Structure formats: C-alpha cells, structure tokens
Amino acid sequence: MFVHNDVSSDGRVLKEAGSLAAQGWKVVVVGVALGQKDLPEVETIANFTVIRITPRFLRQTLPGTVGKLLRLMLAVPAAARAMRQTRAHVYHGNDFIGLLMVALAGIWRRPVVYDSHELFFDRYPKGIFNYPLKYVIWTLRPLEKILARRAAAVMTVSDSLAKLLSTTLGVPMPVVVRNVVDLRELTDAVPINRPEGMRLVAHTGTLLGGRHLAELVESLKYLPSDVSLVLIGDGKLRAQLIEQAQNLGVADRLLTIYPVTPFNIPTTLAQADAAVVLTSPDYQIALPNKFFEAVAAGVPIIGTSLQEVKALIERYDLGVICDPKDPASIAEQINHVLQPDNLARYKANALHARAELTWEAEERKLVALYKRILG
C-alpha cells in the first residue's frame, strides 16, 4: 500500500492494512513523512510493516502546503524504489497521489487497487488554493481517469462518492468500504478534566479550515455557562481558536486534548455528552471519520446537511442538523440535544447504531475484494 502521509494518524489505512494482515497476507505500507514528527523509518504495527520515506530538505524554509508538495516530489524516487522492492502481488494506491505513485514506480504488471477517499481535484472550496500551482495540478485530472481504468478495482468511502466516481472515471461501481471505527482495536482514553457540573460538547479531528471551527467556538457565546467545548486533536488553527475564545470571554470553557491517535479518539470522545460534525457544505458527498468516531463513542451528534451524514443521522435518530455557518444555530441545536430526554434517546440510538455500523462488516467487503483479485 502507498499513502502520501506518515501513516501514524491515518485510521483508514491502519484499519485496512491490519485487516488484510489478519488474513495471513504479508502487508507493507509505504508512507511519506512530510511534517516535523520524528518517526521510525521502518516500524511493525499490528502484524504489518510500515516503511516511511523522509525527505530532509525544505522543512524549515517551506513549512506550508507548497513545501509539503515539493517534499513529496523529492520523495518520489525513494518511494518508488521502496514499492518495487516489496515485489508485492497487489499494489494499493490511496487517493490519486497513491495511484500516481504506483504508475511512476512502473508497477502495472501486477493488479492495482485504487482507493479513492475523496474527489481529489474537487476537494478545495472556491477561493482556496488560488495560485498557479492549482492549475498545474488540474492538468493531471485526465490522468486519473486513464489510471483508474487500468486498475483491477476501485474502492471508496461512501455510496454517493461511488456513484460519482463511476460516472466521472468511467469505471464499474466502486466497492464501498466506509471508515467505520474498529471497536476491537480501541485503546484507553486520554482523560478529560471535566469541571463539576459542566456539560461537554466535543469536536474530533485535525484543527484545519473547512470545519467551521471559528463558528463552533463563537457558539459558546450563545450557550449556557455550564456547557464547554472540547477540541480533541491538534492542528494549525489551535492557537488561533484559543485566542478567539479569549477575545470572546469564553476561554475557561474551551478545552484542548492532544495528542491522540485513531485508536483512542472514540474512547476519549465517550467522556463528552455530544459530538459536533461540522464539515463544510462544499463537501456534500463526504462521510467524515468524525461521524463514525461519534457513533463508536456512543454519543449524540450535531451535524450538517451533508447527504450521507444527514441520511445516517435521520435513519438512526442520532441527533440534529444545524447551519454550520451560524453560531446561533449551532448553539440552538446543541441546547436541543443536551435536554435530558433528548440526550437519553439519542444516546440509546447511538449505541444501537454502533452495533450495526461495524468495521467487521466493512472488513468483509475489503477481504472479499482481495480474495477475488488474488484468485
């Protein structure tokens, strides 16, 4: 498998690799460490091997998106060499960059699985990424269709995305393997220091743009003083959000919990009363990890009207939908969920959903796909 990150926080890749290794297959994940974390170049995790390519140049001079893309380009020769040296029977490319890496490594005499987690060329909302690099990247868009059609199979994360990929790439309907949490692999929670009598609403995931975090922090102005917000995870917006809370006079009601891993986020989140899933409406067909983290934690959800998220919230009666651009709307729906009768009902329904939305079910589809390819 190839993925263009350091693997350590990629819950989907870790689950898939672990499930395939559990079948007795030898699994190697080649990743690229583009950030500042000091991680081992070779590591064994859950009976599979992780090999990390770590470009040492441009870390200090170009720390942003452009720097990461340039470091990824520097890593290409070593990553391609590491992939070829595995002599694998199947190569698994995560997202378009993974698929492209398989092609650059010259690996087409073996079956290739294209695992598309998102619409790579449509993931940035309008107004972001507006510089010439965007147009350079877009010239690669036709290449995705060519390479995807050569793949032995295409996988993705939701039904809506599968239908769109089938149409836009001209491939058979992709196999849908959702990013459901594997409850068998959960580890102990990071303790949350809950003040006595305080009710907690939590957000999980990296603190980045496109997640309406500023609006979420501002919603504390409209919430009772016994409601606090917990940000479970780290990211470049953390300092900015803390400063925003200080300016709003609600800093004592904003908690940050980090570091966390994909294996202890649900257990950490389970200490909260409810979870917010505020993905931008620009990602209408997204089915974010944080939704399944909330289900695994057994907590109610305040979500947005994304097709897949809304459908699952309504199907299992897990919570409510808010307008993520309006802090008052976020607060109103949080208040609704935290009402004792509502809270008890949504929690019971979340536990029911957790029993049905299992990684074991998704794992069976993944294993069946590989058994078909391997004959």
Side-chain angles (χ1 to χ4, degrees):
M1 306 178 79
F2 176 84
V3 62
H4 60 285
N5 59 43
D6 63 26
V7 186
S8 63
S9 298
D10 195 318
R12 180 176 180 83
V13 171
L14 291 168
K15 288 197 297 281
E16 289 180 346
S19 293
L20 295 173
Q23 295 295 313
W25 294 319
K26 183 178 180 181
V27 179
V28 178
V29 182
V30 178
V32 181
L34 299 175
Q36 304 292 333
K37 289 187 284 187
D38 186 17
L39 296 167
E41 293 184 1
V42 180
E43 183 179 11
T44 299
I45 302 175
N47 297 320
F48 62 89
T49 302
V50 174
I51 299 172
R52 295 185 179 91
I53 309 302
T54 308
R56 305 292 181 182
F57 302 102
L58 304 177
R59 286 197 169 198
Q60 303 300 326
T61 55
L62 289 172
T65 302
V66 174
K68 285 188 176 182
L69 288 171
L70 290 175
R71 290 196 295 279
L72 180 62
M73 292 172 63
L74 290 172
V76 166
R81 183 165 58 252
M83 291 172 64
R84 288 194 297 268
Q85 288 174 346
T86 64
R87 301 184 183 277
H89 293 284
V90 182
Y91 289 88
H92 187 122
N94 288 282
D95 283 321
F96 171 69
I97 291 179
L99 182 65
L100 182 60
M101 272 300 309
V102 172
L104 292 174
I107 301 165
W108 288 106
R109 288 172 293 178
R110 300 281 191 177
V112 170
V113 174
Y114 178 29
D115 192 348
S116 179
H117 307 180
E118 60 189 352
L119 292 176
F120 180 82
F121 295 98
D122 297 309
R123 60 182 178 165
Y124 297 102
K126 295 178 181 179
I128 299 178
F129 225 61
N130 281 333
Y131 43 80
L133 184 59
K134 170 182 177 179
Y135 303 103
V136 173
I137 290 176
W138 266 61
T139 62
L140 299 173
R141 190 165 196 163
L143 187 59
E144 181 185 29
K145 181 181 292 188
I146 295 170
L147 297 178
R149 289 178 174 180
R150 295 186 64 177
V154 179
M155 292 172 48
T156 192
V157 299
S158 71
D159 294 330
S160 298
L161 187 52
K163 293 174 184 176
L164 193 55
L165 287 170
S166 178
T167 301
T168 57
L169 299 179
V171 297
M173 189 65 69
V175 175
V176 176
V177 177
R178 296 178 293 185
N179 287 331
V180 179
V181 172
D182 188 350
L183 298 176
R184 300 166 299 183
E185 299 295 330
L186 295 183
T187 58
D188 292 340
V190 177
I192 297 176
N193 185 18
R194 179 200 290 257
E196 186 176 353
M198 187 66 69
R199 295 177 292 172
L200 301 182
V201 178
H203 172 278
T204 62
T206 308
L207 305 178
L208 297 173
R211 301 180 176 188
H212 297 283
L213 293 168
E215 291 89 341
L216 179 58
V217 171
E218 187 175 345
S219 73
L220 285 171
K221 290 195 315 180
Y222 303 94
L223 286 164
S225 59
D226 67 339
V227 177
S228 287
L229 171 63
V230 185
L231 302 178
I232 301 174
D234 198 7
K236 63 182 182 181
L237 292 183
R238 180 168 60 87
Q240 180 179 324
L241 295 169
I242 292 173
E243 182 181 0
Q244 178 190 0
Q246 291 171 342
N247 294 337
L248 292 171
V250 294
D252 60 327
R253 293 162 54 205
L254 178 66
L255 292 76
T256 56
I257 304 295
Y258 66 95
V260 288
T261 73
F263 303 107
N264 65 9
I265 287 178
T267 50
T268 303
L269 174 59
Q271 299 169 81
D273 297 291
V276 287
V277 181
L278 302 184
T279 306
S280 170
D282 291 307
Y283 302 92
Q284 263 300 313
I285 59 174
L287 185 51
N289 292 347
K290 55 176 60 66
F291 171 82
F292 290 114
E293 290 164 353
V295 171
V299 296
I301 297 171
I302 298 94
T304 50
S305 57
L306 305 184
Q307 295 175 21
E308 300 268 350
V309 171
K310 183 179 180 182
L312 286 169
I313 287 177
E314 292 178 348
R315 175 182 173 184
Y316 290 100
D317 189 25
L318 297 174
V320 293
I321 303 298
C322 70
D323 178 357
K325 298 179 180 179
D326 181 1
S329 172
I330 298 171
E332 179 183 3
Q333 298 305 335
I334 289 174
N335 266 326
H336 171 82
V337 166
L338 293 180
Q339 293 300 312
D341 290 346
N342 295 334
L343 189 62
R345 184 177 91 250
Y346 292 138
K347 281 190 172 182
N349 293 340
L351 293 175
H352 171 67
R354 183 171 69 182
E356 289 193 4
L357 299 173
T358 65
W359 177 249
E360 289 95 324
E362 305 303 315
E363 180 181 65
R364 286 193 288 270
K365 294 183 283 184
L366 173 68
V367 171
L369 170 64
Y370 266 83
K371 285 183 175 179
R372 174 172 62 81
I373 292 174
L374 291 168

